Amino acid sequence: MKCKKCGGVAVINMRHHRLALCADHYLDWFVTYTQRTIEKFRMFGSGDRLLVAVSGGKDSLALWDVLLRLGYQADGLYIKLGIEHQGYSDRSLDYVQRFLETSEAANPPRAPRPTQHVLHVVDIKGTYGESIPELARRTGRGRGKPCSVCGLVKRHVMNRVAQEGGYAALATGHNLDDEAAVLLQNTLRWQTGYLARQAPVLEATQPGLSRKVKPFCRLYERETAAYALVRGIDYIYDECPHASGATTIFHKELLNRLEGRSPGAKHSFYLDFLRAKKKGQLLLPAEEVELHPCEKCGQPTTAPGLCAFCRLWQ
Ligand code: AMP
Ligand code: FES
Ligand code: ZN
Ligand code: ZN
């Protein structure tokens, strides 16, 4: 397989784009494609300060890398969950810190503006008193499995740090495979409320809520993995040992089989959904939910009194 641009040896073939590229041209293409996604969905502008949620995995580190290369002012946020199994949390933090140490040198930005960036680390146990597995055990939420507590805590902390730091947007590394799996899950159960809200940009509709963006939502997982590999970004390969969603993994497998039969299936499943929604062809009016500030932390919540996060720590 030859690179379409220069005829050199291709490292990746993207059938849905009918495009095979060599290492150098792939890195260029990937950065440009991300910038186009940012513009297409009006995620943020060149002067905006961004907060990137980095887990130590390939997607979020690749995202931070790309944003820095594009010349954005992007700080990182790592949330230390306290998952001790095989030193998972410590090891993922190591990858993030190593990325930070090397990123200055490895990141001559494409844009002329040099960027300074910092990493915020929030240690859940150090800050709130219990790690995620401890919190899950004590509260029994999610039947002792940490994933649901973990999701709730991560959302709260990301929003808090983005608010306190005055960031214009919070960026996560969700890729096309993630988004398509969630879409399939929501569609199978016709969860119209979730479908109405599933989007590359979640606007800050309330004071106290941050804008959330997913600049990799049009990129396949294999494409973000290839970027990290070619770019030499070292990341944690293991999934969280609590392997959050067996269902999500199952839906990803189903979609992979579909993709194998008809290349581009995930891409059109997700992007045609967004297109139809935008044109108003899906009658999914977002439910009007009334939010008020939590009595303790002030973040918007549907619950009267304390938000779900603050109730966890009572
Ligand atoms: P996941 O829910 O694990 O698939 O992660 C989705 C996105 O959430 C990642 O791409 C990151 O942007 C972010 N994220 C996940 N875990 C963490 C963490 N411990 N600290 C900061 N961001 C995270
Ligand atoms: Fe949160 Fe696994 S329980 S990442
Ligand atoms: Zn080439
Ligand atoms: Zn609260």
Side-chain angles (χ1 to χ4, degrees):
M1 189 75 61
K2 285 186 179 168
C3 172
K4 196 171 174 179
K5 303 250 155 121
C6 70
V9 180
V11 293
I12 190 162
N13 181 22
M14 296 173 286
R15 287 171 70 181
H16 51 291
H17 295 306
R18 291 173 208 271
L19 188 62
L21 293 170
C22 70
D24 285 348
H25 282 121
Y26 181 62
L27 293 182
D28 270 356
W29 175 87
F30 190 93
V31 173
T32 305
Y33 193 71
T34 306
Q35 176 59 24
R36 273 201 249 128
T37 307
I38 292 165
E39 288 166 14
K40 180 179 167 66
F41 297 107
R42 300 200 173 90
M43 292 186 172
F44 41 80
S46 59
D48 285 338
R49 286 177 63 243
L50 311 172
L51 182 65
V52 190
V54 281
S55 63
K58 61 181 179 328
D59 301 297
S60 49
L61 288 182
L63 176 60
W64 200 7
D65 183 70
V66 170
L67 293 176
L68 293 173
R69 283 179 77 193
L70 284 166
Y72 287 106
Q73 203 195 321
D75 290 341
L77 165 65
Y78 174 80
I79 304 172
K80 193 165 177 225
L81 305 164
I83 295 168
E84 283 173 5
H85 186 77
Q86 295 177 343
Y88 184 75
S89 288
D90 285 330
R91 280 194 298 131
S92 21
L93 176 57
D94 283 346
Y95 281 100
V96 176
Q97 277 168 336
R98 233 172 296 146
F99 173 85
L100 184 69
E101 282 158 22
T102 52
S103 60
E104 301 267 318
N107 262 308
R110 270 206 199 173
R113 223 157 0 96
T115 56
Q116 291 269 319
H117 50 282
V118 296
L119 173 68
H120 304 272
V121 177
V122 174
D123 177 359
I124 297 299
K125 183 160 180 157
T127 312
Y128 301 101
E130 277 172 316
S131 69
I132 293 294
E134 287 167 352
L135 184 61
R137 245 175 275 134
R138 177 176 60 77
T139 58
R141 217 188 127 112
R143 284 181 237 99
K145 271 206 87 174
C147 306
S148 89
V149 169
C150 177
L152 196 159
V153 169
K154 278 196 285 202
R155 279 193 298 279
H156 178 95
V157 171
M158 286 178 193
N159 194 63
R160 172 172 72 74
V161 176
Q163 285 287 309
E164 288 172 0
Y167 290 98
L170 170 84
T172 53
H174 292 96
N175 58 40
L176 178 58
D177 293 55
D178 297 325
E179 292 302 293
V182 171
L183 177 59
L184 181 61
Q185 222 159 304
N186 291 339
T187 308
L188 289 174
R189 293 202 240 139
W190 289 117
Q191 285 176 310
T192 51
Y194 288 154
L195 288 168
R197 263 170 284 149
Q198 189 179 357
V201 176
L202 295 181
E203 299 291 347
T205 49
Q206 298 271 331
L209 268 193
S210 292
R211 186 182 171 80
K212 305 195 177 73
V213 297
K214 299 169 194 166
F216 281 174
C217 66
R218 297 199 296 169
L219 286 159
Y220 281 85
E221 187 176 335
R222 69 186 275 268
E223 293 164 358
T224 61
Y227 178 84
L229 192 77
V230 176
R231 182 88 172 124
I233 297 172
D234 219 1
Y235 60 86
I236 187 153
Y237 289 85
D238 319 332
E239 292 280 339
C240 164
H242 299 289
S244 65
T247 7
T248 312
I249 294 169
F250 177 63
H251 287 133
K252 282 189 174 174
E253 280 169 12
L254 286 178
L255 287 164
N256 284 343
R257 288 184 57 191
L258 198 63
E259 183 78 24
R261 281 251 190 117
S262 78
K266 280 184 226 180
H267 200 257
S268 43
F269 179 50
Y270 179 62
L271 289 155
D272 290 347
F273 158 74
L274 293 181
R275 229 167 271 139
K277 193 156 71 143
K278 193 171 170 211
K279 282 196 202 156
Q281 290 167 338
L282 303 177
L283 291 172
L284 297 170
E287 285 159 39
E288 287 289 324
V289 284
E290 219 177 290
L291 297 173
H292 18 248
C294 162
E295 283 170 6
K296 184 145 179 246
C297 71
Q299 286 202 23
T301 173
T302 49
L306 296 186
C307 73
F309 175 85
C310 289
R311 264 183 281 133
L312 279 178
W313 303 97
Q314 275 200 312

mmCIF file of all heavy atoms in Angstrom, residues 156 294-299 306-310, ligand 4:
data_model
loop_
_atom_site.group_PDB
_atom_site.id
_atom_site.type_symbol
_atom_site.label_atom_id
_atom_site.label_comp_id
_atom_site.label_asym_id
_atom_site.label_seq_id
_atom_site.Cartn_x
_atom_site.Cartn_y
_atom_site.Cartn_z
ATOM 1 N N HIS A 156 -18.122 15.504 37.958
ATOM 2 C CA HIS A 156 -18.160 16.609 38.924
ATOM 3 C C HIS A 156 -16.807 17.324 38.986
ATOM 4 O O HIS A 156 -16.736 18.545 38.927
ATOM 5 C CB HIS A 156 -18.552 16.075 40.307
ATOM 6 C CG HIS A 156 -18.565 17.132 41.375
ATOM 7 N ND1 HIS A 156 -19.701 17.814 41.748
ATOM 8 C CD2 HIS A 156 -17.561 17.652 42.125
ATOM 9 C CE1 HIS A 156 -19.394 18.697 42.683
ATOM 10 N NE2 HIS A 156 -18.103 18.614 42.931
ATOM 11 N N CYS A 294 -26.616 23.211 43.737
ATOM 12 C CA CYS A 294 -26.512 22.334 44.912
ATOM 13 C C CYS A 294 -26.236 23.200 46.146
ATOM 14 O O CYS A 294 -25.460 24.149 46.079
ATOM 15 C CB CYS A 294 -25.385 21.343 44.681
ATOM 16 S SG CYS A 294 -24.788 20.541 46.161
ATOM 17 N N GLU A 295 -26.889 22.849 47.254
ATOM 18 C CA GLU A 295 -26.743 23.668 48.475
ATOM 19 C C GLU A 295 -25.317 23.678 49.001
ATOM 20 O O GLU A 295 -24.908 24.585 49.703
ATOM 21 C CB GLU A 295 -27.677 23.135 49.578
ATOM 22 C CG GLU A 295 -29.118 23.541 49.351
ATOM 23 C CD GLU A 295 -30.091 22.837 50.294
ATOM 24 O OE1 GLU A 295 -29.617 22.110 51.205
ATOM 25 O OE2 GLU A 295 -31.303 23.009 50.100
ATOM 26 N N LYS A 296 -24.561 22.603 48.673
ATOM 27 C CA LYS A 296 -23.218 22.524 49.242
ATOM 28 C C LYS A 296 -22.149 23.035 48.270
ATOM 29 O O LYS A 296 -21.393 23.931 48.594
ATOM 30 C CB LYS A 296 -22.943 21.060 49.626
ATOM 31 C CG LYS A 296 -21.641 20.856 50.318
ATOM 32 C CD LYS A 296 -21.725 19.753 51.370
ATOM 33 C CE LYS A 296 -20.384 19.548 52.027
ATOM 34 N NZ LYS A 296 -19.830 18.228 51.706
ATOM 35 N N CYS A 297 -22.115 22.443 47.044
ATOM 36 C CA CYS A 297 -21.007 22.782 46.148
ATOM 37 C C CYS A 297 -21.391 23.831 45.105
ATOM 38 O O CYS A 297 -20.523 24.377 44.430
ATOM 39 C CB CYS A 297 -20.490 21.536 45.445
ATOM 40 S SG CYS A 297 -21.619 20.896 44.205
ATOM 41 N N GLY A 298 -22.684 24.069 44.933
ATOM 42 C CA GLY A 298 -23.115 25.109 44.000
ATOM 43 C C GLY A 298 -23.231 24.657 42.553
ATOM 44 O O GLY A 298 -23.692 25.412 41.706
ATOM 45 N N GLN A 299 -22.830 23.404 42.232
ATOM 46 C CA GLN A 299 -22.955 22.969 40.828
ATOM 47 C C GLN A 299 -24.430 22.698 40.514
ATOM 48 O O GLN A 299 -25.176 22.248 41.384
ATOM 49 C CB GLN A 299 -22.135 21.693 40.591
ATOM 50 C CG GLN A 299 -20.643 21.960 40.542
ATOM 51 C CD GLN A 299 -19.873 20.865 39.800
ATOM 52 O OE1 GLN A 299 -20.417 20.142 38.983
ATOM 53 N NE2 GLN A 299 -18.593 20.761 40.094
ATOM 54 N N LEU A 306 -29.071 18.666 47.955
ATOM 55 C CA LEU A 306 -27.696 18.328 47.563
ATOM 56 C C LEU A 306 -27.666 17.603 46.225
ATOM 57 O O LEU A 306 -28.568 16.834 45.898
ATOM 58 C CB LEU A 306 -27.074 17.414 48.617
ATOM 59 C CG LEU A 306 -26.871 17.986 50.028
ATOM 60 C CD1 LEU A 306 -26.103 16.982 50.878
ATOM 61 C CD2 LEU A 306 -26.105 19.309 49.975
ATOM 62 N N CYS A 307 -26.576 17.804 45.457
ATOM 63 C CA CYS A 307 -26.407 17.077 44.200
ATOM 64 C C CYS A 307 -25.958 15.639 44.507
ATOM 65 O O CYS A 307 -25.579 15.330 45.639
ATOM 66 C CB CYS A 307 -25.381 17.791 43.320
ATOM 67 S SG CYS A 307 -23.681 17.604 43.875
ATOM 68 N N ALA A 308 -25.992 14.795 43.477
ATOM 69 C CA ALA A 308 -25.656 13.382 43.681
ATOM 70 C C ALA A 308 -24.230 13.234 44.199
ATOM 71 O O ALA A 308 -23.933 12.367 45.025
ATOM 72 C CB ALA A 308 -25.829 12.626 42.377
ATOM 73 N N PHE A 309 -23.334 14.095 43.722
ATOM 74 C CA PHE A 309 -21.936 14.026 44.161
ATOM 75 C C PHE A 309 -21.836 14.300 45.658
ATOM 76 O O PHE A 309 -21.208 13.553 46.396
ATOM 77 C CB PHE A 309 -21.092 15.039 43.375
ATOM 78 C CG PHE A 309 -19.669 15.133 43.840
ATOM 79 C CD1 PHE A 309 -18.712 14.259 43.354
ATOM 80 C CD2 PHE A 309 -19.279 16.091 44.774
ATOM 81 C CE1 PHE A 309 -17.394 14.337 43.779
ATOM 82 C CE2 PHE A 309 -17.981 16.168 45.212
ATOM 83 C CZ PHE A 309 -17.026 15.289 44.713
ATOM 84 N N CYS A 310 -22.465 15.373 46.126
ATOM 85 C CA CYS A 310 -22.340 15.732 47.540
ATOM 86 C C CYS A 310 -23.029 14.710 48.437
ATOM 87 O O CYS A 310 -22.578 14.460 49.554
ATOM 88 C CB CYS A 310 -22.891 17.139 47.777
ATOM 89 S SG CYS A 310 -21.809 18.393 47.058
HETATM 90 ZN ZN ZN B 4 -22.999 19.318 45.311
#
